Amino acid sequence: MLTLATLRQERFRLPTTARRVLMPLAVVFAVLATAGWMARGDAPPPSVYAQEHAAWAEGTLHGEPLPGPDTPAEGIGAFFAGLTAAEQRTLAHDYPLVVGNLAGAPITLRYEANRVALAEAAEAERARIAVGGFSPAGAHEAQRRLNRFETLGDGKRQILAFDPTGRGKVAEVLGDLETAERVALIVPGVDTDLLGFQKTFGKYSAPVGMAQALYREERDLEPGTSTAVIAWADYDAPSGIAMSAFTGDLAEAGADRLLTTLTGLPGDSPVALLCHSYGSVVCGLAADRLPARVTDIAVAGSPGMRAPDVTGLGTSARVWAMVSDDDWISDVPHLEVGPLGHGADPADPAFGARLLGTGDAVGHSGYFEPGAESLVNLALVATGAVDSVRCAPGITHCAPSDPCAALV
């Protein structure tokens, strides 16, 4: 039977044109089988991502097995450092969904691998659309996925992670991660997925818009500091106000993925985590395991961090919190009863975070709007210019010169 795993193993023996034809055909066969239009076994075919990882697990180079996906970033880095540039590119093109998501692999190689993966995903989606059989809503979503693959695959974009499975995962870098003096990583909240990664309407409520606004603000405020910003939608976030939004299961898995991302970043420049909404739950659960280079955690519109106070987070990083006056999150009970709820409100002075002003930021999704005081404060934290932050109303001190936020 023709499978994507078989095609992966045969890539070097297939001319480029043949690969471009056969890869979408394999996806079409999978679609037909899944729909019951072809004879098949009881189990649906595994995802392209899963098939590629299975092929990688069986692959060898110079007679030696390829490193397992659980190999620490240092080991992955050492493996790639021992390869020639041609060998690195061979692996990136033959296993793009593996190399493109492999913490510790050279950053520019991950960008290249993800361009290959996105081109293949777009080609497969076109084939799926050609098969047809969608409802009107399904056809619309398929076209949106194709558009997203095509825009993310633009050669000018730096895609750090990509997985088309299910609702999809993706992360993008603005700036130069290898030379940046300061790095900011944005952890978004509910409805974070491939289709919601970038928006035309409500631009600054989506990860790409958040990162673009922050990156511009950083350069305006601290032009002498080289920065990089990561729009990180590389975890399975809750979809809408579902039960999963009120539990920590997805956040725990997200925290593990976040830690893997952080250990795979190049260099040793300080990192700030900027965590919005449910993303602050992810950051809270990762807090006690963060690398020492993470100097700051700033949360905006947080439902809680799964800790009773700053001390309970178990981190040496500075913790900042903000909430706008009309953010509906303030009306959500900050409780934790068994698996439900996320605990104390980080924007409550009793929590012990450094409380930042939001100015005229509007609602739950307005913290990264250009011109908002909240964005200015987040950019100051991200660039390390923390003595210039503006405290929340009623707070006399929140900068590091005073270790504790205090009421007037």
Side-chain angles (χ1 to χ4, degrees):
M1 178 180 176
L2 181 64
T3 68
L4 289 179
T6 303
L7 287 173
R8 288 281 186 222
Q9 295 164 3
E10 296 295 321
R11 287 177 73 110
F12 280 116
R13 290 193 285 274
L14 290 171
T16 301
T17 302
R19 289 207 306 269
R20 288 176 177 169
V21 172
L22 288 173
M23 291 300 290
L25 281 178
V27 175
V28 172
F29 294 155
V31 171
L32 292 173
T34 303
W37 296 345
M38 294 175 61
R40 61 171 175 80
D42 291 334
S47 69
V48 177
Y49 184 85
Q51 290 194 47
E52 192 163 292
H53 272 265
W56 172 275
E58 297 176 359
T60 61
L61 186 65
H62 302 312
E64 296 294 327
L66 300 173
D70 294 331
T71 303
E74 295 83 357
I76 296 295
F79 168 76
F80 278 98
L83 304 182
T84 66
E87 288 170 336
Q88 290 184 3
R89 294 192 75 239
T90 293
L91 290 177
H93 284 251
D94 205 34
Y95 304 97
L97 285 171
V98 176
V99 176
N101 294 281
L102 202 55
I107 292 297
T108 54
L109 189 68
R110 289 179 66 176
Y111 297 159
E112 181 175 353
N114 284 318
R115 281 193 290 273
V116 174
L118 281 158
E120 292 188 352
E123 197 168 358
E125 198 68 19
R126 289 188 201 98
R128 197 168 75 97
I129 291 171
V131 172
F134 299 102
S135 67
H140 177 66
E141 180 166 326
Q143 187 61 50
R144 289 181 66 200
R145 283 175 63 86
L146 174 58
N147 292 343
R148 178 65 72 240
F149 295 149
E150 290 177 338
T151 56
L152 289 174
D154 183 323
K156 297 179 181 179
R157 300 184 73 162
Q158 301 178 139
I159 305 303
L160 183 66
F162 169 65
D163 177 6
T165 307
R167 292 167 54 210
K169 303 181 187 73
V170 62
E172 181 175 12
V173 176
L174 304 182
D176 189 337
L177 270 180
E178 295 181 300
T179 62
E181 298 171 80
R182 304 283 309 193
V183 176
L185 189 151
I186 297 172
V187 184
V190 169
D191 287 331
T192 292
D193 59 18
L194 188 68
L195 294 183
F197 187 58
Q198 185 172 355
K199 296 179 181 178
T200 300
F201 301 103
K203 176 178 179 178
Y204 300 107
S205 65
V208 170
M210 292 176 177
Q212 290 173 342
L214 180 72
Y215 190 50
R216 284 195 299 267
E217 193 71 27
E218 287 177 336
R219 288 178 293 171
D220 288 345
L221 292 172
E222 298 292 326
T225 301
S226 62
T227 62
V229 176
I230 303 172
W232 191 80
D234 194 26
Y235 79 107
D236 290 316
S239 179
I241 307 302
M243 183 59 70
S244 58
F246 299 97
T247 66
D249 292 348
L250 293 178
E252 289 175 359
D256 290 340
R257 294 184 68 87
L258 175 61
L259 291 165
T260 298
T261 296
L262 292 169
T263 59
L265 297 182
D268 55 6
S269 300
V271 176
L273 298 180
L274 310 183
C275 319
H276 176 241
S277 191
Y278 189 85
S280 66
V281 187
V282 176
C283 292
L285 289 171
D288 63 352
R289 296 172 286 161
L290 292 172
R293 66 186 292 189
V294 178
T295 58
D296 295 271
I297 305 171
V299 301
S302 174
M305 299 181 74
R306 294 253 155 178
D309 51 32
V310 163
T311 302
L313 290 171
T315 180
S316 60
R318 291 178 294 236
V319 180
W320 311 80
M322 62 172 66
V323 63
S324 67
D325 291 340
D326 63 347
D327 188 339
W328 57 261
I329 203 74
S330 298
D331 298 324
V332 174
H334 285 81
L335 302 172
E336 187 173 354
V337 181
L340 296 177
H342 303 302
D345 181 1
D348 185 329
F351 189 83
R354 305 169 190 274
L355 303 184
L356 297 171
T358 61
D360 56 359
V362 177
H364 187 62
S365 301
Y367 296 100
F368 288 83
E369 285 283 344
E373 182 178 291
S374 52
L375 178 62
V376 172
N377 276 329
L378 291 170
L380 290 169
V381 169
T383 57
V386 291
D387 285 327
S388 299
V389 295
R390 304 168 189 174
C391 301
I395 304 298
T396 56
H397 301 289
C398 62
S401 56
D402 187 286
C404 299
L407 288 172
V408 172

